[in-house]
Coordinates of all heavy atoms in Angstrom, one line a residue:
E268 N -127.6 64.4 -177.8 CA -126.9 64.9 -179.0 C -125.4 65.0 -178.8 O -124.7 64.8 -179.8 CB -127.5 66.2 -179.5 CG -128.8 66.1 -180.1 CD -129.5 67.4 -180.5 OE1 -128.7 68.5 -180.4 OE2 -130.7 67.5 -180.8
I269 N -125.0 65.3 -177.6 CA -123.5 65.4 -177.3 C -123.0 64.1 -176.7 O -121.8 64.0 -176.3 CB -123.2 66.6 -176.4 CG1 -123.8 66.4 -175.0 CG2 -123.6 67.9 -177.1 CD1 -123.3 67.4 -174.0
G270 N -123.8 63.0 -176.8 CA -123.3 61.7 -176.4 C -123.5 61.3 -174.9 O -122.9 60.3 -174.5
I271 N -124.3 62.0 -174.2 CA -124.6 61.7 -172.8 C -125.9 61.0 -172.8 O -126.9 61.6 -173.1 CB -124.6 62.9 -171.9 CG1 -123.2 63.6 -171.9 CG2 -125.0 62.6 -170.5 CD1 -123.1 64.9 -171.2
S272 N -125.9 59.7 -172.4 CA -127.1 58.9 -172.4 C -127.7 58.6 -171.1 O -128.9 58.4 -170.9 CB -126.9 57.7 -173.3 OG -125.9 56.9 -172.7
G273 N -126.8 58.4 -170.1 CA -127.3 58.0 -168.8 C -127.6 59.2 -167.9 O -126.8 60.1 -167.7
L274 N -128.8 59.3 -167.3 CA -129.1 60.3 -166.4 C -130.2 59.9 -165.4 O -130.9 58.9 -165.7 CB -129.6 61.6 -167.1 CG -130.7 61.6 -168.1 CD1 -132.0 61.9 -167.4 CD2 -130.5 62.6 -169.2
T275 N -130.2 60.6 -164.3 CA -131.3 60.3 -163.3 C -132.1 61.5 -163.2 O -131.6 62.7 -163.1 CB -130.6 60.0 -161.9 OG1 -129.8 58.9 -162.1 CG2 -131.6 59.7 -160.9
V276 N -133.4 61.4 -163.1 CA -134.4 62.5 -163.0 C -135.2 62.3 -161.8 O -135.7 61.2 -161.5 CB -135.3 62.5 -164.3 CG1 -136.3 63.6 -164.1 CG2 -134.5 62.7 -165.5
T277 N -135.3 63.4 -161.0 CA -136.1 63.4 -159.8 C -137.1 64.6 -159.8 O -136.7 65.7 -160.2 CB -135.2 63.5 -158.6 OG1 -134.1 62.6 -158.6 CG2 -136.0 63.3 -157.3
E278 N -138.3 64.4 -159.4 CA -139.2 65.5 -159.2 C -139.0 66.1 -157.9 O -139.0 65.4 -156.9 CB -140.7 65.0 -159.3 CG -141.1 64.5 -160.7 CD -142.5 64.1 -160.8 OE1 -143.3 64.4 -159.9 OE2 -142.9 63.5 -161.8
V279 N -138.7 67.4 -157.9 CA -138.4 68.1 -156.6 C -139.2 69.3 -156.5 O -139.9 69.7 -157.5 CB -136.9 68.4 -156.5 CG1 -136.0 67.2 -156.5 CG2 -136.4 69.3 -157.7
K280 N -139.2 69.9 -155.3 CA -139.9 71.2 -155.1 C -138.9 72.2 -154.5 O -138.0 71.7 -153.7 CB -141.1 71.1 -154.2 CG -142.2 70.3 -154.9 CD -143.4 70.3 -154.0 CE -144.5 69.5 -154.7 NZ -145.8 69.6 -153.9
G281 N -138.9 73.4 -154.8 CA -138.1 74.4 -154.2 C -138.3 75.8 -154.6 O -139.3 76.0 -155.4
F282 N -137.5 76.7 -154.1 CA -137.6 78.1 -154.6 C -136.3 78.8 -154.4 O -135.4 78.3 -153.7 CB -138.7 78.9 -153.8 CG -138.4 79.1 -152.4 CD1 -137.7 80.2 -152.0 CD2 -138.8 78.2 -151.4 CE1 -137.4 80.4 -150.6 CE2 -138.5 78.4 -150.1 CZ -137.8 79.5 -149.7
G283 N -136.1 79.8 -155.2 CA -134.9 80.6 -155.2 C -135.3 82.0 -155.0 O -136.0 82.3 -154.1
R284 N -134.8 82.9 -155.8 CA -135.1 84.3 -155.7 C -136.6 84.6 -155.8 O -137.1 85.6 -155.3 CB -134.3 85.1 -156.7 CG -132.9 85.2 -156.4 CD -132.2 86.1 -157.4 NE -130.7 86.1 -157.1 CZ -129.9 86.5 -158.0 NH1 -130.2 86.9 -159.2 NH2 -128.6 86.5 -157.7
Q285 N -137.3 83.8 -156.6 CA -138.7 84.1 -156.9 C -139.6 83.8 -155.7 O -140.7 84.3 -155.6 CB -139.2 83.3 -158.1 CG -139.2 81.8 -157.9 CD -139.5 81.1 -159.2 OE1 -138.6 80.4 -159.6 NE2 -140.6 81.2 -159.7
K286 N -139.1 83.1 -154.7 CA -139.8 82.9 -153.4 C -141.2 82.4 -153.6 O -142.1 82.8 -152.8 CB -139.7 84.1 -152.6 CG -138.3 84.7 -152.4 CD -138.0 84.7 -150.9 CE -136.7 85.4 -150.6 NZ -135.6 85.4 -151.5
G287 N -141.5 81.6 -154.5 CA -142.9 81.1 -154.7 C -143.8 82.2 -155.4 O -143.3 83.2 -155.9
H288 N -145.1 82.0 -155.3 CA -146.0 82.9 -155.9 C -147.4 82.7 -155.2 O -147.6 81.8 -154.5 CB -146.1 82.8 -157.4 CG -146.6 81.4 -157.9 ND1 -145.8 80.3 -158.0 CD2 -147.8 81.1 -158.2 CE1 -146.6 79.3 -158.4 NE2 -147.8 79.7 -158.5
T289 N -148.3 83.7 -155.5 CA -149.6 83.7 -155.0 C -150.6 83.2 -156.1 O -150.5 83.6 -157.2 CB -150.0 85.1 -154.5 OG1 -149.1 85.5 -153.6 CG2 -151.4 85.1 -153.9
E290 N -151.5 82.3 -155.7 CA -152.5 81.8 -156.6 C -153.9 82.0 -156.1 O -154.1 82.2 -154.8 CB -152.3 80.3 -156.9 CG -151.1 80.0 -157.7 CD -151.0 78.5 -158.2 OE1 -151.9 77.8 -157.9 OE2 -150.0 78.2 -158.8
L291 N -154.8 82.0 -156.9 CA -156.2 82.1 -156.6 C -157.0 80.8 -156.8 O -156.9 80.3 -157.9 CB -156.9 83.2 -157.4 CG -158.1 84.0 -156.8 CD1 -157.7 84.6 -155.5 CD2 -158.6 85.0 -157.8
Y292 N -157.6 80.2 -155.8 CA -158.3 79.0 -156.0 C -159.7 79.1 -155.3 O -159.8 79.3 -154.1 CB -157.5 77.8 -155.4 CG -158.2 76.5 -155.5 CD1 -158.3 75.8 -156.7 CD2 -158.8 75.9 -154.4 CE1 -159.0 74.6 -156.8 CE2 -159.4 74.7 -154.5 CZ -159.5 74.0 -155.7 OH -160.1 72.8 -155.8
R293 N -160.8 79.0 -156.1 CA -162.1 79.1 -155.6 C -162.3 80.4 -154.8 O -162.9 80.4 -153.8 CB -162.5 77.9 -154.8 CG -162.6 76.6 -155.7 CD -163.2 75.5 -154.9 NE -163.3 74.4 -155.8 CZ -163.9 73.2 -155.4 NH1 -164.4 73.0 -154.2 NH2 -163.9 72.2 -156.3
G294 N -161.8 81.5 -155.3 CA -161.9 82.8 -154.7 C -161.0 83.0 -153.5 O -161.0 84.1 -153.0
A295 N -160.2 82.0 -153.1 CA -159.3 82.2 -152.0 C -157.9 82.3 -152.5 O -157.5 81.6 -153.4 CB -159.4 81.0 -151.0
E296 N -157.2 83.3 -151.9 CA -155.8 83.5 -152.3 C -154.9 82.7 -151.4 O -155.1 82.7 -150.2 CB -155.5 85.0 -152.2 CG -154.2 85.4 -152.9 CD -154.0 86.9 -152.9 OE1 -154.5 87.6 -153.8 OE2 -153.3 87.4 -151.9
Y297 N -153.9 82.0 -152.0 CA -153.0 81.3 -151.1 C -151.6 81.4 -151.7 O -151.4 81.6 -152.9 CB -153.4 79.9 -150.9 CG -153.4 79.0 -152.1 CD1 -152.4 78.1 -152.3 CD2 -154.5 79.0 -153.0 CE1 -152.4 77.3 -153.5 CE2 -154.5 78.2 -154.1 CZ -153.5 77.3 -154.3 OH -153.5 76.5 -155.4
V298 N -150.6 81.2 -150.9 CA -149.2 81.3 -151.3 C -148.6 79.9 -151.6 O -148.8 79.0 -150.8 CB -148.3 82.0 -150.3 CG1 -146.8 82.0 -150.7 CG2 -148.8 83.4 -150.0
V299 N -148.0 79.7 -152.8 CA -147.3 78.5 -153.1 C -145.8 78.8 -152.9 O -145.2 79.5 -153.7 CB -147.6 78.1 -154.6 CG1 -146.8 76.8 -155.0 CG2 -149.1 77.9 -154.9
D300 N -145.3 78.3 -151.8 CA -143.9 78.5 -151.4 C -142.9 77.7 -152.3 O -141.9 78.2 -152.7 CB -143.7 78.2 -150.0 CG -144.3 79.2 -149.0 OD1 -144.5 80.3 -149.4 OD2 -144.7 78.8 -147.9
F301 N -143.2 76.4 -152.4 CA -142.3 75.6 -153.1 C -142.9 75.3 -154.5 O -144.0 74.8 -154.6 CB -142.1 74.3 -152.4 CG -141.4 74.5 -151.1 CD1 -142.1 74.6 -149.9 CD2 -140.0 74.6 -151.0 CE1 -141.5 74.8 -148.7 CE2 -139.4 74.8 -149.8 CZ -140.1 74.9 -148.6
L302 N -142.1 75.5 -155.5 CA -142.5 75.3 -156.9 C -142.0 74.0 -157.4 O -140.9 73.6 -157.1 CB -142.0 76.5 -157.8 CG -142.5 77.9 -157.3 CD1 -141.7 78.9 -158.1 CD2 -144.0 78.0 -157.5
P303 N -142.8 73.3 -158.3 CA -142.3 72.0 -158.8 C -141.1 72.3 -159.8 O -141.2 73.2 -160.6 CB -143.5 71.5 -159.6 CG -144.4 72.6 -159.8 CD -144.1 73.6 -158.7
K304 N -140.1 71.5 -159.6 CA -138.9 71.5 -160.5 C -138.5 70.1 -160.8 O -139.0 69.1 -160.2 CB -137.7 72.2 -159.8 CG -138.0 73.6 -159.4 CD -138.0 74.6 -160.5 CE -138.2 76.0 -160.1 NZ -138.2 76.9 -161.2
I305 N -137.6 69.9 -161.7 CA -137.0 68.6 -162.1 C -135.5 68.7 -161.8 O -134.8 69.7 -162.2 CB -137.2 68.3 -163.6 CG1 -138.7 68.1 -163.9 CG2 -136.4 67.1 -164.0 CD1 -139.3 66.9 -163.3
K306 N -134.9 67.7 -161.1 CA -133.5 67.7 -160.9 C -132.9 66.5 -161.8 O -133.4 65.4 -161.7 CB -133.2 67.4 -159.4 CG -131.6 67.4 -159.2 CD -131.3 67.4 -157.8 CE -131.5 66.1 -157.1 NZ -130.9 66.1 -155.7
I307 N -132.0 66.9 -162.6 CA -131.3 66.0 -163.5 C -129.9 65.7 -162.9 O -129.2 66.7 -162.6 CB -131.2 66.5 -164.9 CG1 -132.6 66.7 -165.5 CG2 -130.4 65.6 -165.8 CD1 -132.6 67.5 -166.8
E308 N -129.5 64.5 -162.8 CA -128.1 64.2 -162.3 C -127.4 63.4 -163.4 O -128.0 62.4 -163.9 CB -128.2 63.4 -161.0 CG -128.9 64.1 -159.9 CD -129.1 63.3 -158.7 OE1 -128.1 63.2 -157.9 OE2 -130.2 62.7 -158.5
I309 N -126.2 63.8 -163.7 CA -125.4 63.0 -164.7 C -124.0 63.0 -164.2 O -123.5 63.9 -163.5 CB -125.4 63.6 -166.1 CG1 -125.0 65.1 -166.1 CG2 -126.8 63.5 -166.7 CD1 -124.9 65.6 -167.5
V310 N -123.2 62.0 -164.5 CA -121.8 61.9 -164.2 C -121.1 61.8 -165.5 O -121.4 60.9 -166.4 CB -121.5 60.7 -163.3 CG1 -120.0 60.6 -163.1 CG2 -122.2 60.8 -162.0
V311 N -120.1 62.7 -165.7 CA -119.4 62.7 -167.0 C -117.9 62.8 -166.7 O -117.4 63.1 -165.6 CB -119.8 64.0 -167.8 CG1 -121.3 63.9 -168.2 CG2 -119.5 65.3 -167.1
K312 N -117.1 62.5 -167.8 CA -115.7 62.7 -167.7 C -115.4 64.2 -167.6 O -116.2 65.0 -168.1 CB -115.0 62.2 -169.0 CG -115.1 60.7 -169.1 CD -114.5 60.2 -170.4 CE -114.7 58.7 -170.6 NZ -114.2 58.2 -171.9
T313 N -114.3 64.6 -167.0 CA -114.0 66.0 -166.8 C -114.1 66.8 -168.0 O -114.6 67.9 -168.1 CB -112.7 66.1 -166.1 OG1 -112.7 65.4 -164.8 CG2 -112.4 67.6 -165.7
E314 N -113.6 66.3 -169.1 CA -113.6 67.0 -170.4 C -115.0 67.2 -171.0 O -115.1 68.1 -171.9 CB -112.6 66.4 -171.4 CG -113.0 65.0 -171.8 CD -112.3 63.9 -171.0 OE1 -111.8 64.2 -169.9 OE2 -112.3 62.7 -171.4
S315 N -116.0 66.5 -170.5 CA -117.3 66.6 -171.0 C -118.2 67.6 -170.2 O -119.3 67.8 -170.6 CB -118.0 65.3 -171.1 OG -117.3 64.4 -171.9

């Protein structure tokens, strides 16, 4: 909508302050350290 059409998208995993979370699978508890994220990369003019 603001005129930026070219971008690169990458599926990444990581964590910040939330440090992952605990899940329950078939009665067993396990820690998911890295959460799925999307990284978007764009290059724009400085004024944009």
Side-chain angles (χ1 to χ4, degrees):
E268 286 174 10
I269 62 168
I271 297 172
S272 57
L274 56 93
T275 301
V276 176
T277 310
E278 292 182 14
V279 296
K280 291 184 179 187
F282 67 89
R284 288 186 182 162
Q285 67 192 111
K286 307 238 184 338
H288 63 277
T289 303
E290 289 189 3
L291 205 59
Y292 179 71
R293 293 189 178 182
E296 192 174 277
Y297 66 99
V298 176
V299 178
D300 290 330
F301 295 97
L302 301 172
K304 300 287 184 178
I305 295 291
K306 181 168 77 169
I307 299 170
E308 299 173 85
I309 59 175
V310 176
V311 298
K312 296 178 183 177
T313 303
E314 60 268 16
S315 299

